[in-house]
Amino acid sequence: MKTTYRLLLVALVVATVPAATMAAIGDGGTIIVERTFWLGYWDSSVDGSPDLAAEYRVIGDGPDLGVKLKTIHEWGAVDFYGRYRDSADQKYKLDFDVNRVFRSQNLLNSLIHRLGHQPIEHFQAATNHGRVVWESDLDPDSEYDLKYQVFETKNEVQLPSVDGLTVGFGYRNQQRKGTRQHTTISHCDACHVNSQDRPTDETTDDAYIDLKYAWASNFVRGSYTGRSYSESPQNISLLFDDALQPELRTPVFDNRVQWDNAEGPQPVDLKPDISKDIFKLDTLINTSGWGIVGEGVWSSTENDYTRNKTDFTGFMASVAKRFGSDRKWNFRWRGRTYSVDNNTVELVPIQRPGAAGPQSPGTYSDYYPTWPQTFTRLPAAKRDVLESKADLVFGRSTRGIGQFRFTWNYDKQDREYYEVAPGTTDTTKNLLGVSWSARPGKGWKTYAGIKYADISNPFQIVDGKYSTLVSQPSGGSPFDPRAAQYWQMHNERIAEGAASPSSYFQGDLRGTYLHNGNMLTASYRYWKGDNNDGDLNDWARDSQAFNITYWATPSPDWQWYVGYNYNDTSMDTVLTIPIFDG
Amino acid sequence: MGGLKFKVTEVFKIGFDLAYVNATAGMSQFRFEKAEAWAAPKPNQNYDMSLVNTYSDLDTTRLESDLWAKFTFFKSAFLYADWRYVDYTDDAPYLYDTSGEISWYTLSLGWSF
């Protein structure tokens, strides 16, 4: 909280500078647009759970303090807004400009996010054989929430002595602090679900500097941003249960788990701290009626503990030109290409010797020699992507028959490893669209548009569900090496899992009517997509959204509005349920 | 949703906003059609899936309103009062009942100059 009050103090000090300056300059040099202060008190009453009724609002009581200050001076302008109700409910915004040489935008915002406390008593079950699911809530009285706070400052300096050069610099600090509910499960002896507090103290820092040189209606700009993300609390741990056979109560599963209580408490959470460097170079050139925009981005992200790394290289270009008689035609094209490169990860599971039973003292791979033992995790995100968006526009929405827009978007994702169809790693999307916007009468604005997209090999999980393996262990013993194992069951899956369309249609209708200070707006969107491309895959979704709102100002003394929104979505998908018996 | 803002007199203004949201979502019932054939030799197993869809039942309503009044006196001073009310009702609680009703009251004295 010290940081909050320090930032608040800085903001208030900066805000009072113009007030003091005003007094010095006098009324002749200052225009006061707004100057308001208030002091009050707030209280609240709660009946029932605040978890969703006040998911992002504080409850309790406290002061209500506020300032609005907007002034224009001979030397520049100041716009300040500040409101404090609680350390988790405060907002400050300060923008100022000094002689058009130094411009600054600053923001501090805090809010709360209630997470509730999910009871876990439903994790209780038993069979006739005594195998059970049970639970332990190690912190049953905890209420979970996170306090979110962001501070951001963006600044620009334009030195009069260096014509066309602008130096920008800024800083952003985002924090999430509080406690979350963390659940972990122990296997074998029983399915034992444990819940405990997980302190959270996340900080993301961004600092940037950029240089922009502008001439005529062109510019070129380069920037560097450094980012760090840290999660400061120590890892939480859990002492897992002894891996016992649930009926015999013997340690026959010791060679099938990587650890149990014999290894002591184990860390059960992750600290994904990262460092990131981002370089950007962009330019705008206007020449011979063409507007040309180009941008290059190079970034590198590294986990501070595992040293896993992601490199991103991207380029963007955009061109636009009006042509034809009365410049009625307008062509615009935007293209982007980028590549993502990740390192591979090798996983070598711990193999413990068997402690009892028919597989003692062998390890798991001693009895299942075809089990891989070492797993190479290939980077699913490693890919080359090309995106193209082209628009051809005829007419003006404000004149005559209106404006017609024809759209063709093309995307191609070429993944290095991840298959989206058997033997295929590419996804290609073509989207065609046409729209019409016009002002058919005084006070009217209308829009109608349709889009159709066709996607070859949309994202899906190949052989992600529906195992065809039927286990028939000899003699009924799970320790018979011929008995089916989980990984063998996974290997026999034949159905694709998908939640992305292979084609979709979208239609939009919008209208606005403005008359004598009254306005009626209405919009409707219909979307329908499906995917039958994969094995045993049948996915479909359609949705409709409708909105109508009426604003009225019968007289300068009063205004009112009324609105209605309707959303409806339905989805069909294939569900597979594995049947276990033992 | 709806709302109004009304200048009762030159020094007295009131405002009111109201929003009501009803959200429902759920799965269609599905059956494990071979259940009887599978269950016959396994009397201790339960393959009845007919109630699984009820685990994904969502039915909530949210009423939110904000009533405020501002009274200006001595030309530049003002008194501001606000009552914000939220009633969230979970009509199909699953793990726990998240229903709640909350009121916030604010009274402030201010100065514009």
Side-chain angles (χ1 to χ4, degrees), chain A residues 151-403:
Chain A
F151 169 72
E152 188 170 19
T153 177
K154 296 179 181 176
N155 305 281
E156 278 187 353
V157 179
Q158 254 180 317
L159 296 175
S161 55
V162 188
D163 192 30
L165 182 67
T166 303
V167 180
F169 58 93
Y171 170 71
R172 186 176 191 277
N173 173 276
Q174 177 182 301
Q175 299 177 8
R176 292 202 312 164
K177 294 183 178 179
T179 310
R180 289 184 280 128
Q181 184 175 14
H182 188 95
T183 55
T184 315
I185 187 166
S186 283
H187 293 283
C188 286
D189 176 39
C191 291
H192 181 196
V193 180
N194 291 275
S195 172
Q196 61 178 313
D197 290 353
R198 203 302 191 178
T200 297
D201 189 358
E202 298 176 0
T203 300
T204 305
D205 289 307
D206 284 288
Y208 77 88
I209 184 166
D210 65 53
L211 293 174
K212 178 180 176 184
Y213 181 71
W215 72 99
S217 51
N218 313 308
F219 75 79
V220 61
R221 175 171 53 197
S223 71
Y224 167 76
T225 302
R227 172 178 298 170
S228 70
Y229 167 84
S230 67
E231 169 80 81
S232 62
Q234 295 296 312
N235 287 106
I236 58 171
S237 60
L238 181 74
L239 182 64
F240 285 82
D241 297 344
D242 193 3
L244 299 174
Q245 209 278 354
E247 293 178 40
L248 304 173
R249 313 299 297 168
T250 52
V252 295
F253 291 140
D254 269 28
N255 69 346
R256 292 171 183 241
V257 295
Q258 297 191 80
W259 58 78
D260 64 0
N261 64 353
E263 280 73 22
Q266 300 292 312
V268 291
D269 60 347
L270 296 172
K271 293 177 66 176
D273 294 16
I274 59 135
S275 300
K276 184 171 186 176
D277 296 306
I278 308 167
F279 295 91
K280 282 186 190 175
L281 188 64
D282 63 316
T283 186
L284 167 66
I285 304 292
N286 284 287
T287 178
S288 305
W290 288 88
I292 302 168
V293 174
E295 183 179 51
V297 180
W298 299 264
S299 77
S300 179
T301 310
E302 187 172 45
N303 185 287
D304 294 342
Y305 299 109
T306 64
R307 296 298 169 195
N308 287 331
K309 196 174 177 185
T310 299
D311 291 322
F312 175 93
T313 303
F315 300 96
M316 189 275 287
S318 169
V319 294
K321 183 179 173 65
R322 285 192 174 277
F323 58 93
S325 64
D326 199 23
R327 294 161 61 87
K328 281 185 175 175
W329 290 91
N330 185 18
F331 173 74
R332 186 176 60 166
W333 176 82
R334 288 159 291 160
R336 188 166 80 122
T337 179
Y338 66 87
S339 61
V340 179
D341 191 8
N342 296 74
N343 57 286
T344 57
V345 176
E346 298 287 336
L347 295 175
V348 183
I350 300 165
Q351 290 207 61
R352 306 160 88 210
Q359 293 185 355
S360 174
T363 63
Y364 188 75
S365 59
D366 289 340
Y367 289 90
Y368 303 95
T370 58
W371 183 60
Q373 298 189 50
T374 300
F375 296 86
T376 302
R377 293 294 184 225
L378 300 172
K382 188 172 182 177
R383 65 191 62 194
D384 296 314
V385 178
L386 173 66
E387 297 173 355
S388 166
K389 299 179 191 302
D391 285 340
L392 184 64
V393 176
F394 174 76
R396 307 273 170 90
S397 62
T398 54
R399 296 182 196 169
I401 59 172
Q403 183 183 79

Side-chain angles (χ1 to χ4, degrees), chain A residues 35 57 128 557 559 563, chain B residues 1 5 7 44 64 96 113:
Chain A
R35 193 165 56 178
R57 291 194 181 118
N128 291 350
D557 287 344
Q559 50 190 272
Chain B
M1 62 180 180
K5 199 186 289 186
K7 188 198 283 187
N44 294 327
E64 183 157 355
Y96 70 108
F113 58 102

